[in-house]
Amino acid sequence: LYGLFDILAMAGELWSIITGAPPPEPGFDVRVVGPSREPFRCWGGVPVAPDGSFADNAGADVVLIPDLLVDLDADPRRRWPEAAAWVAREHDAGAAICTVCTGSLLLADTGLLDGREATTHWSCVPLFQRYHPRVRLRAERLLVAADPDQRIVTAGGASAWQDMALYLI
């Protein structure tokens, strides 16, 4: 979450700070959004203070789902219903939807990956295949654009968020 936030928030601006070159046009307006505005701790105890909630954040150009803590022995479907519904609404409104690592399970839950190619973290391949058989899983690939207009992109692996950030930049 924070690695993606940092890279995307500083895209194009860091070079100006380092070199003194004129600042470019802002590249990304990055915000953390969650079910509510209430601060929480994600796995590992990392504090997260959302900038807004799903209810008051609509009209994104890009929605990026980070990796999620997943129980490999439990059915992941309908685990994040508010988030899945919001992601589907944002896609329907024109947003590109991207995800890294295990976040692809949430994206699969929206139905947007049905009949399309996707990738995920190697550790949850059996779980993904068991519960989302309509998705053409390409776990050997690091980045997968699921559609020709590249509005749905998945990245697999623990460090794939860096590749996703570069792809978006």
Side-chain angles (χ1 to χ4, degrees):
L1 173 68
Y2 287 122
L4 282 164
F5 187 98
D6 190 42
I7 287 176
L8 294 175
M10 294 303 294
E13 294 183 33
L14 190 55
W15 182 253
S16 176
I17 292 168
I18 292 169
T19 65
E25 293 292 319
F28 296 93
D29 175 16
V30 183
R31 286 177 262 154
V32 175
V33 178
S36 77
R37 291 176 169 260
E38 293 298 313
F40 63 93
R41 290 191 178 272
C42 64
W43 55 297
V46 177
V48 179
D51 297 307
S53 70
F54 297 142
D56 57 19
N57 275 281
D61 294 322
V62 178
V63 171
L64 184 47
I65 305 164
D67 56 321
L68 302 167
L69 181 61
V70 176
D71 179 348
L72 297 179
D73 295 319
D75 184 345
R77 295 172 297 180
R78 294 171 294 287
R79 181 165 175 207
W80 308 280
E82 284 180 90
W86 181 76
V87 167
R89 284 192 308 272
E90 289 298 296
H91 181 267
D92 290 347
I97 309 296
C98 302
T99 184
V100 298
C101 201
T102 54
S104 61
L105 287 163
L106 187 156
L107 180 55
D109 208 30
T110 68
L112 292 170
L113 290 177
D114 288 354
R116 295 179 167 160
E117 290 186 344
T119 191
T120 192
H121 189 273
W122 62 267
S123 68
C124 69
V125 168
L127 180 74
F128 197 105
Q129 290 172 325
R130 183 177 326 128
Y131 293 106
H132 297 289
R134 291 185 300 250
V135 179
R136 295 191 320 260
L137 195 60
R138 299 292 306 272
E140 76 282 3
R141 304 241 337 254
L142 190 58
L143 282 171
V144 174
D147 53 350
D149 58 355
Q150 300 180 33
R151 286 190 50 229
I152 300 175
V153 182
T154 56
S159 297
W161 63 269
Q162 296 163 328
D163 297 295
M164 179 63 77
L166 291 172
Y167 177 83
L168 289 170
I169 292 168

